[in-house]
Amino acid sequence: MVLALGAAVTPAAPGAAQADVQPEDVAAIARTLNCPLCQGYNLQDCPLEVCAQMREVIRQQLAAGATPEQVVAAFVADYGPQVLNAPPRSGFFAAAWLVPVLALVAGAGLALATLLGAGRGTRPHAPAPATGVADLEQQAPDGPPVGADGPDPDPGRASTIERLERMARWDPEA
Amino acid sequence: MTAELGYLALVLAWAAAVFAAFSSSVGATYGMGRLVASGRRALLAAAGLSTVAVGALLVAFARHDFSIAYVWQTSSTTTPPFYLVTAVWGGQSGSLLFWSWTLALFAATAIARRWRADAALMPWFTAVCGAVLGFFLTLTAFVANPFERLTVLPFEGNGLNPLLQHPGMAFHPPMLYLGLTGLTIPYAFAMAALLARRTDAGWILASRRWTLVAWAFLSIGLALGARWAYDVLGWGGYWGWDPVENAAFMPWLAATAFLHSVMVQERRGMFRVWNMVLMILTFGLVIIGTFLTRAGLVASVHSFAQSDIGPYFLVFTAVLLVGSLALLWARLSYLRSDGVIDAVLSRETAFLANNVVFMGALFGVFWGTLFPLVSEIVTGQRVTVGPPYFNRVVLPVLWVALLLMAVAPAVGWRRARAALVARALRGPAAVAALLGVALVALGVRQPVALVAFTTCAFALLTTLAEMARAARARMARGEAPHAAVGTLFRRNRRRYGGYVVHLGVVLLAAGVVGSNVYQQETERTLAVGETLRVGAYRLTYEGLRVTEAADRRSVAAVLQVRRDGRVLGSVLPRRDVFRLREDQPMTIPAVMSRPLEDVYTMIGVIDPDTERVTVKAVVNPLIGFVWLGMMVLVAGTLVAAWPDGSEARVMNAELRRLLGTAVPARGA
């Protein structure tokens, strides 16, 4: 089957335009294609003999003067787009590439909206309740309030006591 | 007899887990203490009984009891004892049993340790754990039973899949399972908090160490899998963006986001709903990941353990996600934020950005993993989504994470002063920029590598500077340097353990970039005496060497490695043929590790008559940084997660000071 493929997709007669084919050029194409038999390997990395034969087909086609695009197109024509190891960037398949970008933009937008909403709702003098054990860790003599991690300006004493009461029951071993 | 005993224990464990779920939830709802107590005992019993079941399976393996289908399928009389143990999780039904067992042990440990400390949460915690455990034991006991008998009695077993006979593979699955089941514990605490309407940060305090430990196991599992791929699969790489790798990577990404985001809740009481969502997402991805791995829905190299349990997982995932989110919706009024983000330039914003970035990376992985399915449904045409896609879509996002890692520790909580941030970052940025210039001068021209390496240097330097600054502050009070650093780590394990994790990530990133961007590769067919050049190395083929062992026959090509005319030694890439699996020969690469790079070799076609052999050689620069980075990352996690008496002492001292009363000092 593979040999038949070799015959089918090697249109140029042997000896016509025999360019010197660099192994790197073959490898570059083979890396964008999949092994048709096993999952998870590209054509370049696959140890199977079939893939060695397919790499040889790529070499022959390049030697016959085909451009890399033509070689890839020949493989797609024979095996379908599944032979590519990344989806094409046209038609419906472009969704593979676009949707994650849109999702990231949407996520960033959502975060930005949270931030801007927070900016409007700023309560500069409201005593922000201290709600975490991190505040307490901060009270430890861990150096003067250098740089980023100074103690909170307003520890919100009342809720801290309430919280500490609960934390007194906290088992340090867990 | 062993099989019957094991199966009996399995069914009883299932019954106990289901009983624990019902008894605990009814008891907690109606305040019936005795039902709650028996729920607790039932879950502890389930842990004991599933231990008996695992023990029975081990005995069956040790006795080569091939009347049990699973033992026959995954071992043989020639399987070495070590791999008899690992065969317990080497296939579908055994790995499900192992999953259930570790989950039961984790849940029992949490119950034993925290029953009194978190009295309000624990009944519901038991109920949730019982339900999840019940699901997995249902599958193990009634759908994929590891104790199922064969109708004939074979004399010899099928043998463990040769691909799995590797030390990395022996520990890779159990570590992953420990990570995945471990994440059940914080999830169960989160759900318990919602069910019990105790929606303060208590569930986070109760479970944060569990989250860290689970995250560490997951990281170890991923690292071992990478190492196994490098040592066994023979394509010169360690991460292939295979659907099953992604299935384990996705919960890791979600848990990483959670570990960061949760700090904002602990410190500021914000992101309460979001942290719940993250926890539900993380656990949902654990289940979806297990489902993807098992159901064979997406094609993968990991098809060791597929079967028809897909529909069960689909239903469970749906129930889990819908149920958890509905519960969260019902409790929204309990989850009002204590604070707001005061300023755009603040640690809170940095954590928010961290979450956006990790969610973005997670979505990229998720979408790429599922796209073949989506494409088939929409267009009828299946496509492959391989490494080129993920490298292009996910890696840039992870680069932003790296950049954030460099900047965020210098940004203070609430309202950071821009001048302070600038002062902290100025030095590292300048040095990183100088390094960039030096790299260009040294001939590094790849833009990706330049950007990535300078970012790595920036992150490395800011992290070290942050640690040095805190240490200097202590030294100013007269502590010796090593004592100062020691005190820092003792005083605040989480922060400095976290910084160590960051250092590991920097090393890992540098290794990933080096080994991908600067990988060199050559392949040639060699006759004896011929030489292959790869990078600065020359490999001379000296002939074949054949070794016979009880279970396999190995043919190795002896390759002498030289560099600059100096002989560095030999590598022997080989092909193993296992007697019981002759159709599945294994190509085992041979690696020579040098300080800054690996020479990685493997053989393809061997002509036995002429001894001509196809050799593929790869030079992987900086790959040692990948392994080192992973180890540092795990070490940092352990520092952060290690039980810490001083944490409790600090809190109790503060409590005494504030209340002015004698609170007994505990946990010293």
Side-chain angles (χ1 to χ4, degrees), chain B residues 548-568:
Chain B
E548 304 274 350
D551 58 339
R552 75 188 90 169
R553 178 172 188 269
S554 303
V555 181
V558 183
L559 298 167
Q560 188 197 59
V561 184
R562 276 178 305 157
R563 184 189 169 126
D564 308 327
R566 213 159 52 82
V567 176
L568 300 171

Side-chain angles (χ1 to χ4, degrees), chain B residues 386-557:
Chain B
Y389 172 87
F390 291 104
N391 289 345
R392 188 152 286 204
V393 171
V394 180
L395 291 189
V397 183
L398 291 181
W399 170 75
V400 180
L402 194 64
L403 192 64
L404 211 51
M405 204 177 87
V407 176
V411 182
W413 288 94
R414 283 165 183 265
R415 201 178 287 276
R417 297 231 306 275
L420 273 182
V421 177
R423 187 157 40 139
L425 296 180
R426 214 163 38 202
V431 177
L434 275 179
L435 179 93
V437 174
L439 284 175
V440 173
L442 286 170
V444 176
R445 289 287 182 277
Q446 296 274 0
V448 174
L450 274 176
V451 170
F453 284 139
T454 40
T455 314
C456 283
F458 186 32
L460 178 78
L461 291 166
T462 47
T463 309
L464 289 176
E466 199 63 37
M467 290 161 97
R469 195 158 48 184
R472 265 205 311 275
R474 299 205 71 85
M475 282 156 63
R477 279 187 243 152
E479 278 188 40
H482 64 275
V485 173
T487 319
L488 281 186
F489 275 86
R490 268 199 310 282
R491 286 267 174 207
N492 199 338
R493 279 182 210 282
R494 279 175 89 207
R495 184 188 305 162
Y496 294 100
Y499 286 162
V500 173
V501 172
H502 282 187
L503 294 179
V505 172
V506 168
L507 291 172
L508 179 61
V512 167
V513 173
S515 60
N516 278 299
V517 178
Y518 290 99
Q519 189 179 57
Q520 287 172 296
E521 183 188 308
T522 319
E523 182 174 352
R524 259 187 64 194
T525 303
L526 299 176
V528 176
E530 282 187 328
T531 298
L532 171 84
R533 290 180 64 163
V534 58
Y537 298 89
R538 285 159 175 277
L539 310 178
T540 307
Y541 172 47
E542 296 181 326
L544 293 177
R545 185 180 294 172
V546 181
T547 349
E548 304 274 350
D551 58 339
R552 75 188 90 169
R553 178 172 188 269
S554 303
V555 181

Side-chain angles (χ1 to χ4, degrees), chain A residues 23-24 27 31-32 34 38-49 52 55 79-89 92-112 114-124 126-155 157 159-174, chain B residues 113-114 117-118 198 200-202 205-206 208-209 233-235 242 263-272 299-301 338-344 347 349 352 356-357 359-361 363-364 367 371 374-375 378-379 381-389 392-393 397 409-415 420 466 469-470 473-474 477 488 491-492 494-496 499 519 521 523 575 587 602 604-605 616 643-645 647-648 650-652 654-655 657-659 663 666-667:
Chain A
E24 297 84 65
R31 278 201 194 93
T32 67
N34 271 317
C38 52
Q39 290 293 336
Y41 284 111
N42 65 47
L43 212 49
Q44 177 65 15
D45 293 332
C46 183
L48 294 181
E49 206 153 322
R55 288 195 292 273
Y79 288 89
Q82 212 177 340
V83 78
L84 299 169
N85 63 14
R89 292 181 197 197
F92 171 76
F93 303 122
W97 300 90
L98 287 179
V99 170
V101 178
L102 292 179
L104 191 64
V105 170
L110 212 63
L112 204 65
T114 310
L115 268 182
L116 294 180
R120 273 203 312 277
T122 301
R123 302 171 296 175
T131 32
V133 75
D135 295 305
L136 304 170
E137 286 166 355
Q138 219 48 56
Q139 309 283 339
D142 196 7
V146 279
D149 280 299
D152 285 338
D154 184 350
R157 197 160 255 247
S159 79
T160 303
I161 292 175
E162 187 186 293
R163 188 153 298 264
L164 282 165
E165 278 173 332
R166 192 176 53 69
M167 275 187 303
R169 301 190 303 272
W170 180 60
D171 178 8
E173 293 300 311
Chain B
R113 301 186 78 124
R114 304 205 56 94
D118 288 300
R198 299 285 294 245
D200 49 27
L205 290 175
R208 65 189 197 186
R209 198 151 278 145
L233 289 185
W235 46 278
D242 178 88
M263 288 186 241
V264 182
Q265 179 167 356
E266 282 183 29
R267 197 180 170 95
R268 295 291 319 277
M270 292 151 49
F271 294 5
R272 288 164 176 247
S300 156
V301 286
D338 281 0
V340 290
I341 295 182
D342 294 326
V344 172
R347 186 69 67 83
T349 307
L352 192 62
V356 171
V357 166
M359 288 300 105
F363 186 80
W367 184 245
F371 191 75
V374 174
S375 161
V378 176
T379 66
Q381 175 66 57
R382 220 178 160 87
V383 291
T384 316
V385 181
Y389 172 87
R392 188 152 286 204
V393 171
V397 183
V411 182
W413 288 94
R414 283 165 183 265
R415 201 178 287 276
L420 273 182
E466 199 63 37
R469 195 158 48 184
R474 299 205 71 85
R477 279 187 243 152
L488 281 186
R491 286 267 174 207
N492 199 338
R494 279 175 89 207
R495 184 188 305 162
Y496 294 100
Y499 286 162
Q519 189 179 57
E521 183 188 308
E523 182 174 352
R575 168 168 301 173
T587 315
M602 62 177 296
V605 186
K616 181 161 155 180
D644 185 356
E647 204 174 357
V650 169
M651 279 194 299
N652 284 323
E654 195 59 22
L655 185 60
R657 192 177 68 75
L658 280 171
L659 299 179
V663 175
R666 289 180 29 165

